């Protein structure tokens, strides 16, 4: 039996920018009529997730990713379609969701343990481990409203580590924590998945998608545009995103001073090429101009097609 099964899922958000639209939406709610106009944020979504699977959801802002996670978590209801979840769910969505900002960190941990049905000596042991995992020092006895975003994520993730739901849903939480905490979370997620846990991850980080997930779907304007391995889907999404970046063009330099007069890339047969394949041996040759006759220095660098530095030397 699948852990998650979604069939023909649709979600509309009604337009409520003026009084007429607000009254119409309220009338539909009072008459228990589904909203069929407005922003159609999810369109005929069909998805099956099995126990032990790690699935990433990628897409641009507004594609419907967070809405889909909220529906799975029970935060909001779909407009139409069927959804079945066969197991317990732990969700890390908006920062601070599930915590009372007026309560201290430790009080919120106690409350989370109680809501998860953890009692007695077991609760004390688990709360102590949560405090150790969160590692926020004396702030654990301060109200959550005084926490930074990173500290809130630490507290939320600490709860997940001890409640260990059948399905863990995360929405960009790893983008908030510091590097050391990210490594700790990744190590815990690896253990969680190896012990049979199931993960749904929303992230704009291609590294996290390929590191954590085995499969992925690409949402675009409410539709599933692509599904497959995490690597294939994330690479296709990445290429599509960077295709809209401005083309990198050579900068104009003062031709009277030191500059590169000519440059070319050669393959192993000493032929000039403009494309390099992975694993291929190439040679870079440049002719430099020196106005004084002194030997100039040369800096050499490589950037990716999205203008990110890859390598440099001098």
């Amino acid at each position: 039996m699948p852990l998650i099964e979604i069939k023909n899922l649709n979600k509309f958000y009604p337009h409520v920018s003026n009084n007429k639209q607000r009254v119409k939406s309220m009338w539909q709610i009072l008459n228990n009529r589904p909203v069929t106009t407005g922003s159609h944020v999810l369109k005929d979504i069909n998805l099956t997730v099995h126990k032990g699977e790690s699935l990433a959801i990628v897409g641009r802002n507004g594609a419907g990713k967070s809405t889909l996670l909220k529906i799975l978590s029970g935060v909001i209801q779909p407009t139409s379609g069927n959804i079945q979840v066969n197991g317990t769910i732990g969700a890390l969505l908006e920062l601070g969701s599930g915590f009372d900002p007026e309560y201290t960190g430790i009080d919120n941990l106690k409350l989370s343990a109680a809501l998860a049905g953890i009692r007695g000596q077991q609760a004390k042991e688990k709360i102590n481990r949560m405090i150790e995992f969160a590692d926020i020092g004396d702030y654990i006895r301060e109200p959550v409203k005084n926490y930074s975003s990173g500290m809130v994520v630490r507290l939320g993730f600490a709860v997940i580590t001890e409640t260990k739901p059948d399905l863990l849903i995360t929405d960009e939480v790893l983008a908030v924590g510091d590097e050391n905490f990210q490594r700790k979370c990744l190590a815990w997620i690896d253990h969680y998945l190896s012990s049979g846990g199931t993960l749904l991850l929303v992230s704009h980080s291609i590294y996290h998608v390929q590191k954590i997930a085995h499969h992925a779907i690409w949402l675009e304007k409410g539709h599933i545009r692509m599904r497959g391995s995490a690597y294939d889907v994330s690479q296709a999404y990445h290429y599509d995103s960077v295709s809209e970046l401005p083309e990198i063009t050579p900068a104009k330099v003062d031709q009277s001073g030191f500059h590169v007069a000519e440059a070319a890339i050669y393959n192993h047969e000493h032929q000039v090429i403009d494309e390099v394949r992975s694993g291929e041996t190439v040679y870079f040759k440049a002719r430099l101009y020196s106005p004084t006759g002194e030997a100039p220095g040369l800096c050499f660098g490589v950037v990716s097609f999205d203008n990110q530095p890859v390598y440099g030397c001098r």
Side-chain angles (χ1 to χ4, degrees):
M1 177 184 296
L3 186 61
I4 301 173
E5 192 165 12
I6 299 173
K7 294 182 178 179
N8 302 320
L9 186 72
N10 287 271
K11 178 62 178 177
F12 284 87
Y13 284 127
H15 293 312
V16 289
S17 58
N18 56 55
N19 289 334
K20 181 178 179 181
Q21 292 174 340
R22 285 191 284 271
V23 170
K24 180 180 179 181
S25 298
M26 182 60 69
W27 180 254
Q28 289 175 320
I29 293 172
L30 293 174
N31 285 275
N32 198 27
R33 293 168 55 189
V35 177
T36 56
T37 58
S39 299
H40 197 176
V41 294
L42 291 175
K43 306 171 184 177
D44 296 320
I45 300 296
N46 290 279
L47 182 65
T48 301
V49 180
H50 294 90
K51 182 176 175 59
E53 186 176 353
S54 53
L55 177 72
I57 305 174
V58 300
R60 300 184 182 185
N61 293 331
K65 306 184 299 298
S66 296
T67 298
L68 178 58
L69 295 193
K70 288 177 181 177
I71 291 175
L72 288 171
S73 305
V75 176
I76 58 176
Q77 295 298 313
T79 303
S80 64
N82 297 316
I83 176 170
Q84 185 173 0
V85 181
N86 303 304
T88 58
I89 297 177
L92 291 171
L93 302 176
E94 285 94 349
L95 290 176
S97 59
F99 292 144
D100 189 318
E102 299 296 332
Y103 285 10
T104 66
I106 193 168
D107 286 338
N108 272 290
L109 294 181
K110 292 177 180 179
L111 179 60
S112 297
L115 292 174
I118 305 171
R119 302 286 189 274
Q121 184 61 33
Q122 184 188 31
K124 293 181 180 179
E125 294 173 356
K126 285 183 175 291
I127 289 171
N128 286 334
R129 289 197 292 268
M130 290 179 195
I131 294 173
E132 182 180 356
F133 189 94
D135 191 21
I136 58 175
D138 293 337
Y139 281 101
I140 196 69
R141 303 188 185 280
E142 293 288 332
V144 169
K145 66 182 180 181
N146 297 336
Y147 286 14
S148 67
S149 58
M151 292 164 66
V152 173
V153 167
R154 284 174 174 265
L155 201 67
F157 212 101
V159 172
I160 292 296
T161 62
E162 291 301 322
T163 54
K164 295 179 181 177
D166 297 323
L167 171 65
L168 172 59
I169 297 176
T170 68
D171 188 357
E172 292 288 3
V173 294
L174 292 178
V176 180
D178 57 60
E179 187 175 351
N180 289 334
F181 185 70
Q182 285 187 21
R183 284 198 293 265
K184 183 190 288 190
C185 292
L186 290 173
W188 184 87
I189 289 174
D190 285 340
H191 174 73
Y192 169 77
L193 292 173
S194 64
S195 59
T198 308
L199 175 69
L200 277 185
L201 167 74
V202 163
S203 180
H204 290 288
S205 168
I206 301 301
Y207 167 77
H208 286 139
V209 170
Q210 296 181 359
K211 167 70 176 176
I212 300 173
H214 294 144
H215 302 94
I217 61 172
W218 174 3
L219 279 182
E220 184 175 80
K221 297 180 180 179
H223 289 289
I224 295 180
R225 174 170 171 176
M226 181 180 179
R227 66 180 79 206
S229 72
Y231 180 83
D232 290 341
V233 173
S234 61
Q235 287 296 103
Y237 168 67
H238 181 59
Y239 290 149
D240 184 77
S241 299
V242 300
S243 65
E244 297 183 359
L245 294 175
E247 183 180 355
I248 301 174
T249 56
K252 294 182 179 180
V253 298
D254 182 4
Q255 298 292 317
S256 63
F258 292 98
H259 66 274
V260 177
E262 294 179 1
I265 300 175
Y266 296 80
N267 61 17
H268 66 284
E269 298 177 348
H270 301 288
Q271 298 171 329
V272 177
I273 58 175
D274 55 12
E275 292 184 358
V276 179
R277 295 183 176 86
S278 177
E280 185 177 8
T281 299
V282 296
Y283 303 91
F284 175 73
K285 292 184 179 181
R287 185 169 63 86
L288 309 179
Y289 173 78
S290 170
T292 64
E294 300 176 16
L298 176 66
C299 297
F300 174 77
V302 178
V303 298
S304 62
F305 56 84
D306 54 349
N307 208 19
Q308 297 299 311
V310 175
Y311 174 79
C313 66
R314 55 183 302 173

